[in-house]
PDB file of all heavy atoms in Angstrom:
ATOM      1  N   GLU A  21       9.868 225.722  14.417  1.00 97.00           N
ATOM      2  CA  GLU A  21      11.089 226.175  13.877  1.00 97.00           C
ATOM      3  C   GLU A  21      11.256 227.677  14.116  1.00 97.00           C
ATOM      4  O   GLU A  21      12.322 228.165  14.417  1.00 97.00           O
ATOM      5  CB  GLU A  21      11.131 225.936  12.327  1.00 97.00           C
ATOM      6  CG  GLU A  21      12.325 226.482  11.647  1.00 97.00           C
ATOM      7  CD  GLU A  21      13.642 225.890  12.156  1.00 97.00           C
ATOM      8  OE1 GLU A  21      13.684 224.811  12.707  1.00 97.00           O
ATOM      9  OE2 GLU A  21      14.630 226.617  11.998  1.00 97.00           O
ATOM     10  N   MET A  22      10.168 228.432  13.980  1.00 97.00           N
ATOM     11  CA  MET A  22      10.226 229.847  14.247  1.00 97.00           C
ATOM     12  C   MET A  22      10.543 230.124  15.683  1.00 97.00           C
ATOM     13  O   MET A  22      11.341 231.073  15.987  1.00 97.00           O
ATOM     14  CB  MET A  22       8.879 230.518  13.857  1.00 97.00           C
ATOM     15  CG  MET A  22       8.580 230.538  12.404  1.00 97.00           C
ATOM     16  SD  MET A  22       6.944 231.192  12.011  1.00 97.00           S
ATOM     17  CE  MET A  22       7.163 232.899  12.473  1.00 97.00           C
ATOM     18  N   ILE A  23      10.018 229.371  16.583  1.00 97.00           N
ATOM     19  CA  ILE A  23      10.247 229.609  18.028  1.00 97.00           C
ATOM     20  C   ILE A  23      11.742 229.317  18.298  1.00 97.00           C
ATOM     21  O   ILE A  23      12.396 230.010  19.075  1.00 97.00           O
ATOM     22  CB  ILE A  23       9.360 228.727  18.895  1.00 97.00           C
ATOM     23  CG1 ILE A  23       7.921 229.211  18.760  1.00 97.00           C
ATOM     24  CG2 ILE A  23       9.789 228.718  20.389  1.00 97.00           C
ATOM     25  CD1 ILE A  23       6.875 228.313  19.442  1.00 97.00           C
ATOM     26  N   SER A  24      12.266 228.267  17.669  1.00 97.00           N
ATOM     27  CA  SER A  24      13.695 227.984  17.873  1.00 97.00           C
ATOM     28  C   SER A  24      14.554 229.111  17.367  1.00 97.00           C
ATOM     29  O   SER A  24      15.714 229.333  17.933  1.00 97.00           O
ATOM     30  CB  SER A  24      14.102 226.651  17.162  1.00 97.00           C
ATOM     31  OG  SER A  24      14.129 226.830  15.790  1.00 97.00           O
ATOM     32  N   GLN A  25      14.144 229.839  16.384  1.00 97.00           N
ATOM     33  CA  GLN A  25      14.885 230.976  15.831  1.00 97.00           C
ATOM     34  C   GLN A  25      14.773 232.232  16.723  1.00 97.00           C
ATOM     35  O   GLN A  25      15.448 233.231  16.423  1.00 97.00           O
ATOM     36  CB  GLN A  25      14.413 231.290  14.408  1.00 97.00           C
ATOM     37  CG  GLN A  25      14.753 230.197  13.408  1.00 97.00           C
ATOM     38  CD  GLN A  25      14.297 230.581  11.994  1.00 97.00           C
ATOM     39  OE1 GLN A  25      13.366 231.470  11.828  1.00 97.00           O
ATOM     40  NE2 GLN A  25      14.847 229.934  10.999  1.00 97.00           N
ATOM     41  N   MET A  26      14.005 232.157  17.755  1.00 97.00           N
ATOM     42  CA  MET A  26      13.869 233.308  18.673  1.00 97.00           C
ATOM     43  C   MET A  26      14.718 233.164  19.928  1.00 97.00           C
ATOM     44  O   MET A  26      14.896 234.137  20.717  1.00 97.00           O
ATOM     45  CB  MET A  26      12.359 233.421  19.113  1.00 97.00           C
ATOM     46  CG  MET A  26      11.445 233.765  18.006  1.00 97.00           C
ATOM     47  SD  MET A  26       9.693 233.584  18.485  1.00 97.00           S
ATOM     48  CE  MET A  26       9.659 234.554  19.998  1.00 97.00           C
ATOM     49  N   ILE A  27      15.276 231.956  20.188  1.00 98.00           N
ATOM     50  CA  ILE A  27      15.969 231.673  21.464  1.00 98.00           C
ATOM     51  C   ILE A  27      17.448 231.720  21.217  1.00 98.00           C
ATOM     52  O   ILE A  27      17.960 231.023  20.353  1.00 98.00           O
ATOM     53  CB  ILE A  27      15.511 230.310  22.017  1.00 98.00           C
ATOM     54  CG1 ILE A  27      14.007 230.320  22.289  1.00 98.00           C
ATOM     55  CG2 ILE A  27      16.324 229.954  23.233  1.00 98.00           C
ATOM     56  CD1 ILE A  27      13.466 228.924  22.677  1.00 98.00           C
ATOM     57  N   TYR A  28      18.179 232.483  22.076  1.00 98.00           N
ATOM     58  CA  TYR A  28      19.637 232.626  21.856  1.00 98.00           C
ATOM     59  C   TYR A  28      20.346 232.669  23.193  1.00 98.00           C
ATOM     60  O   TYR A  28      19.827 233.116  24.207  1.00 98.00           O
ATOM     61  CB  TYR A  28      19.938 233.901  21.017  1.00 98.00           C
ATOM     62  CG  TYR A  28      19.470 233.765  19.653  1.00 98.00           C
ATOM     63  CD1 TYR A  28      18.172 234.225  19.266  1.00 98.00           C
ATOM     64  CD2 TYR A  28      20.231 233.162  18.650  1.00 98.00           C
ATOM     65  CE1 TYR A  28      17.726 234.089  18.024  1.00 98.00           C
ATOM     66  CE2 TYR A  28      19.754 233.055  17.375  1.00 98.00           C
ATOM     67  CZ  TYR A  28      18.526 233.462  17.052  1.00 98.00           C
ATOM     68  OH  TYR A  28      18.029 233.368  15.743  1.00 98.00           O
ATOM     69  N   PHE A  29      21.610 232.243  23.126  1.00 98.00           N
ATOM     70  CA  PHE A  29      22.511 232.361  24.268  1.00 98.00           C
ATOM     71  C   PHE A  29      23.642 233.349  23.888  1.00 98.00           C
ATOM     72  O   PHE A  29      24.280 233.174  22.941  1.00 98.00           O
ATOM     73  CB  PHE A  29      23.163 230.999  24.627  1.00 98.00           C
ATOM     74  CG  PHE A  29      24.194 231.137  25.695  1.00 98.00           C
ATOM     75  CD1 PHE A  29      23.824 231.305  27.020  1.00 98.00           C
ATOM     76  CD2 PHE A  29      25.539 231.094  25.397  1.00 98.00           C
ATOM     77  CE1 PHE A  29      24.808 231.463  28.051  1.00 98.00           C
ATOM     78  CE2 PHE A  29      26.516 231.261  26.394  1.00 98.00           C
ATOM     79  CZ  PHE A  29      26.165 231.467  27.696  1.00 98.00           C
ATOM     80  N   ASP A  30      23.744 234.398  24.705  1.00 98.00           N
ATOM     81  CA  ASP A  30      24.759 235.450  24.495  1.00 98.00           C
ATOM     82  C   ASP A  30      25.794 235.328  25.638  1.00 98.00           C
ATOM     83  O   ASP A  30      25.461 235.576  26.803  1.00 98.00           O
ATOM     84  CB  ASP A  30      24.128 236.795  24.503  1.00 98.00           C
ATOM     85  CG  ASP A  30      25.107 237.937  24.277  1.00 98.00           C
ATOM     86  OD1 ASP A  30      26.295 237.647  24.177  1.00 98.00           O
ATOM     87  OD2 ASP A  30      24.671 239.129  24.258  1.00 98.00           O
ATOM     88  N   GLY A  31      27.032 234.911  25.328  1.00 98.00           N
ATOM     89  CA  GLY A  31      28.014 234.773  26.298  1.00 98.00           C
ATOM     90  C   GLY A  31      28.487 236.018  26.994  1.00 98.00           C
ATOM     91  O   GLY A  31      29.156 235.964  28.041  1.00 98.00           O
ATOM     92  N   THR A  32      28.077 237.151  26.515  1.00 98.00           N
ATOM     93  CA  THR A  32      28.451 238.417  27.187  1.00 98.00           C
ATOM     94  C   THR A  32      27.439 238.799  28.264  1.00 98.00           C
ATOM     95  O   THR A  32      27.692 239.739  29.036  1.00 98.00           O
ATOM     96  CB  THR A  32      28.512 239.602  26.164  1.00 98.00           C
ATOM     97  OG1 THR A  32      27.186 239.921  25.729  1.00 98.00           O
ATOM     98  CG2 THR A  32      29.369 239.226  24.963  1.00 98.00           C
ATOM     99  N   PHE A  33      26.396 238.030  28.379  1.00 98.00           N
ATOM    100  CA  PHE A  33      25.341 238.410  29.346  1.00 98.00           C
ATOM    101  C   PHE A  33      25.899 238.198  30.788  1.00 98.00           C
ATOM    102  O   PHE A  33      26.572 237.161  31.048  1.00 98.00           O
ATOM    103  CB  PHE A  33      24.159 237.468  29.137  1.00 98.00           C
ATOM    104  CG  PHE A  33      23.015 237.724  30.121  1.00 98.00           C
ATOM    105  CD1 PHE A  33      22.265 238.887  30.029  1.00 98.00           C
ATOM    106  CD2 PHE A  33      22.716 236.793  31.082  1.00 98.00           C
ATOM    107  CE1 PHE A  33      21.254 239.111  30.933  1.00 98.00           C
ATOM    108  CE2 PHE A  33      21.669 236.993  32.026  1.00 98.00           C
ATOM    109  CZ  PHE A  33      20.938 238.159  31.927  1.00 98.00           C
ATOM    110  N   THR A  34      25.655 239.121  31.657  1.00 98.00           N
ATOM    111  CA  THR A  34      26.255 239.114  32.998  1.00 98.00           C
ATOM    112  C   THR A  34      25.275 238.699  34.143  1.00 98.00           C
ATOM    113  O   THR A  34      25.649 238.618  35.287  1.00 98.00           O
ATOM    114  CB  THR A  34      26.784 240.472  33.388  1.00 98.00           C
ATOM    115  OG1 THR A  34      25.762 241.491  33.335  1.00 98.00           O
ATOM    116  CG2 THR A  34      27.879 240.947  32.399  1.00 98.00           C
ATOM    117  N   GLY A  35      24.048 238.406  33.777  1.00 97.00           N
ATOM    118  CA  GLY A  35      23.102 238.003  34.780  1.00 97.00           C
ATOM    119  C   GLY A  35      23.400 236.682  35.406  1.00 97.00           C
ATOM    120  O   GLY A  35      24.106 235.825  34.816  1.00 97.00           O
ATOM    121  N   THR A  36      22.898 236.430  36.613  1.00 97.00           N
ATOM    122  CA  THR A  36      23.201 235.191  37.292  1.00 97.00           C
ATOM    123  C   THR A  36      21.877 234.521  37.826  1.00 97.00           C
ATOM    124  O   THR A  36      20.805 235.064  37.570  1.00 97.00           O
ATOM    125  CB  THR A  36      24.152 235.380  38.483  1.00 97.00           C
ATOM    126  OG1 THR A  36      23.476 236.215  39.464  1.00 97.00           O
ATOM    127  CG2 THR A  36      25.426 236.076  38.040  1.00 97.00           C
ATOM    128  N   TYR A  37      22.028 233.554  38.631  1.00 97.00           N
ATOM    129  CA  TYR A  37      20.888 232.838  39.276  1.00 97.00           C
ATOM    130  C   TYR A  37      20.007 233.772  40.066  1.00 97.00           C
ATOM    131  O   TYR A  37      18.814 233.647  40.086  1.00 97.00           O
ATOM    132  CB  TYR A  37      21.411 231.701  40.154  1.00 97.00           C
ATOM    133  CG  TYR A  37      20.367 230.969  40.942  1.00 97.00           C
ATOM    134  CD1 TYR A  37      19.626 229.967  40.378  1.00 97.00           C
ATOM    135  CD2 TYR A  37      20.139 231.263  42.268  1.00 97.00           C
ATOM    136  CE1 TYR A  37      18.655 229.283  41.065  1.00 97.00           C
ATOM    137  CE2 TYR A  37      19.155 230.612  43.029  1.00 97.00           C
ATOM    138  CZ  TYR A  37      18.435 229.598  42.406  1.00 97.00           C
ATOM    139  OH  TYR A  37      17.470 228.883  43.161  1.00 97.00           O
ATOM    140  N   ASP A  38      20.607 234.772  40.737  1.00 96.00           N
ATOM    141  CA  ASP A  38      19.851 235.613  41.627  1.00 96.00           C
ATOM    142  C   ASP A  38      20.004 237.161  41.295  1.00 96.00           C
ATOM    143  O   ASP A  38      19.562 238.010  42.092  1.00 96.00           O
ATOM    144  CB  ASP A  38      20.200 235.412  43.108  1.00 96.00           C
ATOM    145  CG  ASP A  38      21.677 235.456  43.408  1.00 96.00           C
ATOM    146  OD1 ASP A  38      22.463 235.851  42.478  1.00 96.00           O
ATOM    147  OD2 ASP A  38      22.022 235.133  44.532  1.00 96.00           O
ATOM    148  N   LYS A  39      20.695 237.459  40.192  1.00 97.00           N
ATOM    149  CA  LYS A  39      20.909 238.865  39.873  1.00 97.00           C
ATOM    150  C   LYS A  39      20.649 239.135  38.371  1.00 97.00           C
ATOM    151  O   LYS A  39      20.964 238.268  37.520  1.00 97.00           O
ATOM    152  CB  LYS A  39      22.359 239.270  40.160  1.00 97.00           C
ATOM    153  CG  LYS A  39      22.691 239.259  41.662  1.00 97.00           C
ATOM    154  CD  LYS A  39      24.137 239.690  41.897  1.00 97.00           C
ATOM    155  CE  LYS A  39      24.475 239.633  43.385  1.00 97.00           C
ATOM    156  NZ  LYS A  39      25.878 240.066  43.643  1.00 97.00           N
ATOM    157  N   LYS A  40      20.069 240.307  38.124  1.00 96.00           N
ATOM    158  CA  LYS A  40      19.856 240.724  36.761  1.00 96.00           C
ATOM    159  C   LYS A  40      21.201 241.160  36.167  1.00 96.00           C
ATOM    160  O   LYS A  40      22.151 241.430  36.893  1.00 96.00           O
ATOM    161  CB  LYS A  40      18.868 241.841  36.682  1.00 96.00           C
ATOM    162  CG  LYS A  40      17.444 241.438  37.043  1.00 96.00           C
ATOM    163  CD  LYS A  40      16.469 242.618  36.850  1.00 96.00           C
ATOM    164  CE  LYS A  40      15.023 242.125  37.101  1.00 96.00           C
ATOM    165  NZ  LYS A  40      14.081 243.251  36.867  1.00 96.00           N
ATOM    166  N   GLY A  41      21.303 241.265  34.860  1.00 97.00           N
ATOM    167  CA  GLY A  41      22.487 241.687  34.218  1.00 97.00           C
ATOM    168  C   GLY A  41      22.238 242.401  32.931  1.00 97.00           C
ATOM    169  O   GLY A  41      21.144 242.877  32.650  1.00 97.00           O
ATOM    170  N   SER A  42      23.265 242.439  32.084  1.00 97.00           N
ATOM    171  CA  SER A  42      23.170 243.094  30.786  1.00 97.00           C
ATOM    172  C   SER A  42      24.108 242.411  29.857  1.00 97.00           C
ATOM    173  O   SER A  42      24.873 241.534  30.224  1.00 97.00           O
ATOM    174  CB  SER A  42      23.481 244.603  30.894  1.00 97.00           C
ATOM    175  OG  SER A  42      24.806 244.765  31.355  1.00 97.00           O
ATOM    176  N   ALA A  43      24.042 242.796  28.598  1.00 98.00           N
ATOM    177  CA  ALA A  43      24.917 242.204  27.554  1.00 98.00           C
ATOM    178  C   ALA A  43      25.393 243.235  26.577  1.00 98.00           C
ATOM    179  O   ALA A  43      24.704 244.205  26.330  1.00 98.00           O
ATOM    180  CB  ALA A  43      24.183 241.053  26.803  1.00 98.00           C
ATOM    181  N   SER A  44      26.579 242.949  26.021  1.00 98.00           N
ATOM    182  CA  SER A  44      27.142 243.852  25.037  1.00 98.00           C
ATOM    183  C   SER A  44      26.888 243.303  23.622  1.00 98.00           C
ATOM    184  O   SER A  44      27.119 243.938  22.628  1.00 98.00           O
ATOM    185  CB  SER A  44      28.640 244.055  25.204  1.00 98.00           C
ATOM    186  OG  SER A  44      29.348 242.826  25.212  1.00 98.00           O
ATOM    187  N   GLY A  45      26.387 242.009  23.572  1.00 98.00           N
ATOM    188  CA  GLY A  45      26.082 241.424  22.269  1.00 98.00           C
ATOM    189  C   GLY A  45      24.658 241.664  21.848  1.00 98.00           C
ATOM    190  O   GLY A  45      24.392 242.525  21.030  1.00 98.00           O
ATOM    191  N   LEU A  46      23.738 240.884  22.389  1.00 98.00           N
ATOM    192  CA  LEU A  46      22.289 241.106  22.159  1.00 98.00           C
ATOM    193  C   LEU A  46      21.717 241.949  23.256  1.00 98.00           C
ATOM    194  O   LEU A  46      21.586 241.545  24.429  1.00 98.00           O
ATOM    195  CB  LEU A  46      21.578 239.731  22.068  1.00 98.00           C
ATOM    196  CG  LEU A  46      22.104 238.774  21.005  1.00 98.00           C
ATOM    197  CD1 LEU A  46      21.386 237.438  21.113  1.00 98.00           C
ATOM    198  CD2 LEU A  46      21.884 239.394  19.611  1.00 98.00           C
ATOM    199  N   ILE A  47      21.412 243.183  22.962  1.00 98.00           N
ATOM    200  CA  ILE A  47      21.046 244.185  23.918  1.00 98.00           C
ATOM    201  C   ILE A  47      19.494 244.316  24.012  1.00 98.00           C
ATOM    202  O   ILE A  47      18.852 244.508  22.980  1.00 98.00           O
ATOM    203  CB  ILE A  47      21.667 245.544  23.598  1.00 98.00           C
ATOM    204  CG1 ILE A  47      23.216 245.425  23.607  1.00 98.00           C
ATOM    205  CG2 ILE A  47      21.230 246.599  24.621  1.00 98.00           C
ATOM    206  CD1 ILE A  47      23.870 246.664  23.082  1.00 98.00           C
ATOM    207  N   GLU A  48      18.998 244.168  25.196  1.00 96.00           N
ATOM    208  CA  GLU A  48      17.547 244.285  25.419  1.00 96.00           C
ATOM    209  C   GLU A  48      17.010 245.633  24.959  1.00 96.00           C
ATOM    210  O   GLU A  48      17.620 246.690  25.285  1.00 96.00           O
ATOM    211  CB  GLU A  48      17.242 244.031  26.896  1.00 96.00           C
ATOM    212  CG  GLU A  48      15.746 244.113  27.203  1.00 96.00           C
ATOM    213  CD  GLU A  48      15.460 243.744  28.672  1.00 96.00           C
ATOM    214  OE1 GLU A  48      15.668 244.649  29.496  1.00 96.00           O
ATOM    215  OE2 GLU A  48      14.988 242.626  28.888  1.00 96.00           O
ATOM    216  N   GLY A  49      15.949 245.612  24.220  1.00 95.00           N
ATOM    217  CA  GLY A  49      15.313 246.896  23.775  1.00 95.00           C
ATOM    218  C   GLY A  49      16.018 247.638  22.675  1.00 95.00           C
ATOM    219  O   GLY A  49      15.633 248.752  22.314  1.00 95.00           O
ATOM    220  N   ARG A  50      17.106 247.016  22.102  1.00 95.00           N
ATOM    221  CA  ARG A  50      17.813 247.706  21.085  1.00 95.00           C
ATOM    222  C   ARG A  50      16.938 247.972  19.825  1.00 95.00           C
ATOM    223  O   ARG A  50      16.143 247.153  19.417  1.00 95.00           O
ATOM    224  CB  ARG A  50      19.019 246.899  20.633  1.00 95.00           C
ATOM    225  CG  ARG A  50      19.889 247.506  19.564  1.00 95.00           C
ATOM    226  CD  ARG A  50      21.015 246.547  19.209  1.00 95.00           C
ATOM    227  NE  ARG A  50      21.889 247.147  18.151  1.00 95.00           N
ATOM    228  CZ  ARG A  50      21.770 246.964  16.869  1.00 95.00           C
ATOM    229  NH1 ARG A  50      20.749 246.233  16.431  1.00 95.00           N
ATOM    230  NH2 ARG A  50      22.641 247.448  15.985  1.00 95.00           N
ATOM    231  N   SER A  51      17.093 249.146  19.279  1.00 94.00           N
ATOM    232  CA  SER A  51      16.364 249.527  18.036  1.00 94.00           C
ATOM    233  C   SER A  51      17.375 249.730  16.926  1.00 94.00           C
ATOM    234  O   SER A  51      18.437 250.418  17.170  1.00 94.00           O
ATOM    235  CB  SER A  51      15.532 250.772  18.302  1.00 94.00           C
ATOM    236  OG  SER A  51      14.800 251.140  17.166  1.00 94.00           O
ATOM    237  N   PRO A  52      17.227 249.126  15.837  1.00 94.00           N
ATOM    238  CA  PRO A  52      16.016 248.461  15.346  1.00 94.00           C
ATOM    239  C   PRO A  52      15.946 246.985  15.629  1.00 94.00           C
ATOM    240  O   PRO A  52      15.048 246.258  15.140  1.00 94.00           O
ATOM    241  CB  PRO A  52      16.169 248.649  13.801  1.00 94.00           C
ATOM    242  CG  PRO A  52      17.682 248.617  13.539  1.00 94.00           C
ATOM    243  CD  PRO A  52      18.285 249.269  14.816  1.00 94.00           C
ATOM    244  N   GLY A  53      16.875 246.406  16.410  1.00 97.00           N
ATOM    245  CA  GLY A  53      16.783 244.990  16.694  1.00 97.00           C
ATOM    246  C   GLY A  53      17.841 244.223  15.907  1.00 97.00           C
ATOM    247  O   GLY A  53      18.878 244.845  15.416  1.00 97.00           O
ATOM    248  N   TYR A  54      17.609 242.972  15.688  1.00 98.00           N
ATOM    249  CA  TYR A  54      18.634 242.086  15.100  1.00 98.00           C
ATOM    250  C   TYR A  54      17.992 241.244  13.955  1.00 98.00           C
ATOM    251  O   TYR A  54      16.907 240.692  14.125  1.00 98.00           O
ATOM    252  CB  TYR A  54      19.281 241.173  16.118  1.00 98.00           C
ATOM    253  CG  TYR A  54      19.922 241.956  17.271  1.00 98.00           C
ATOM    254  CD1 TYR A  54      19.168 242.235  18.425  1.00 98.00           C
ATOM    255  CD2 TYR A  54      21.218 242.404  17.092  1.00 98.00           C
ATOM    256  CE1 TYR A  54      19.804 242.951  19.438  1.00 98.00           C
ATOM    257  CE2 TYR A  54      21.847 243.143  18.166  1.00 98.00           C
ATOM    258  CZ  TYR A  54      21.108 243.404  19.314  1.00 98.00           C
ATOM    259  OH  TYR A  54      21.696 244.137  20.313  1.00 98.00           O
ATOM    260  N   SER A  55      18.733 241.144  12.877  1.00 98.00           N
ATOM    261  CA  SER A  55      18.295 240.311  11.717  1.00 98.00           C
ATOM    262  C   SER A  55      18.795 238.897  11.897  1.00 98.00           C
ATOM    263  O   SER A  55      19.619 238.619  12.779  1.00 98.00           O
ATOM    264  CB  SER A  55      18.857 240.848  10.458  1.00 98.00           C
ATOM    265  OG  SER A  55      20.294 240.712  10.398  1.00 98.00           O
ATOM    266  N   LEU A  56      18.262 237.996  11.108  1.00 97.00           N
ATOM    267  CA  LEU A  56      18.727 236.585  11.222  1.00 97.00           C
ATOM    268  C   LEU A  56      20.164 236.519  10.910  1.00 97.00           C
ATOM    269  O   LEU A  56      20.903 235.680  11.459  1.00 97.00           O
ATOM    270  CB  LEU A  56      17.915 235.755  10.191  1.00 97.00           C
ATOM    271  CG  LEU A  56      16.457 235.441  10.594  1.00 97.00           C
ATOM    272  CD1 LEU A  56      15.742 234.847   9.428  1.00 97.00           C
ATOM    273  CD2 LEU A  56      16.339 234.646  11.860  1.00 97.00           C
ATOM    274  N   LYS A  57      20.703 237.406  10.022  1.00 98.00           N
ATOM    275  CA  LYS A  57      22.124 237.412   9.727  1.00 98.00           C
ATOM    276  C   LYS A  57      22.887 237.816  10.969  1.00 98.00           C
ATOM    277  O   LYS A  57      23.961 237.252  11.251  1.00 98.00           O
ATOM    278  CB  LYS A  57      22.359 238.412   8.570  1.00 98.00           C
ATOM    279  CG  LYS A  57      23.812 238.478   8.080  1.00 98.00           C
ATOM    280  CD  LYS A  57      24.240 237.212   7.467  1.00 98.00           C
ATOM    281  CE  LYS A  57      25.713 237.338   6.974  1.00 98.00           C
ATOM    282  NZ  LYS A  57      26.170 236.056   6.315  1.00 98.00           N
ATOM    283  N   ASP A  58      22.394 238.836  11.682  1.00 98.00           N
ATOM    284  CA  ASP A  58      23.073 239.274  12.894  1.00 98.00           C
ATOM    285  C   ASP A  58      23.171 238.160  13.896  1.00 98.00           C
ATOM    286  O   ASP A  58      24.122 238.042  14.680  1.00 98.00           O
ATOM    287  CB  ASP A  58      22.349 240.474  13.525  1.00 98.00           C
ATOM    288  CG  ASP A  58      22.375 241.708  12.675  1.00 98.00           C
ATOM    289  OD1 ASP A  58      23.320 241.940  11.909  1.00 98.00           O
ATOM    290  OD2 ASP A  58      21.373 242.482  12.709  1.00 98.00           O
ATOM    291  N   LEU A  59      22.140 237.285  13.926  1.00 98.00           N
ATOM    292  CA  LEU A  59      21.974 236.258  14.957  1.00 98.00           C
ATOM    293  C   LEU A  59      22.801 234.986  14.725  1.00 98.00           C
ATOM    294  O   LEU A  59      22.905 234.123  15.563  1.00 98.00           O
ATOM    295  CB  LEU A  59      20.526 235.938  15.145  1.00 98.00           C
ATOM    296  CG  LEU A  59      19.636 237.078  15.658  1.00 98.00           C
ATOM    297  CD1 LEU A  59      18.145 236.706  15.499  1.00 98.00           C
ATOM    298  CD2 LEU A  59      19.950 237.441  17.115  1.00 98.00           C
TER     299      LEU A  59
END
């Protein structure tokens, strides 16, 4: 159950099959991060 709470799909993510991307929703390395409420 905890592992399932760690996995998310963010529709703003721009990465593809062969290219890296970024997101405006869940941002990699953001501090302080995201709470369960945020998610």
Side-chain angles (χ1 to χ4, degrees):
E21 176 60 26
M22 291 176 67
I23 292 173
S24 73
Q25 292 180 341
M26 295 169 52
I27 298 173
Y28 293 91
F29 173 77
D30 181 358
T32 71
F33 180 70
T34 61
T36 65
Y37 175 81
D38 53 8
K39 293 181 181 179
K40 293 184 175 183
S42 60
S44 58
L46 299 176
I47 301 171
E48 182 176 76
R50 179 181 182 270
S51 181
Y54 301 92
S55 67
L56 288 171
K57 183 67 176 179
D58 295 329
L59 297 168

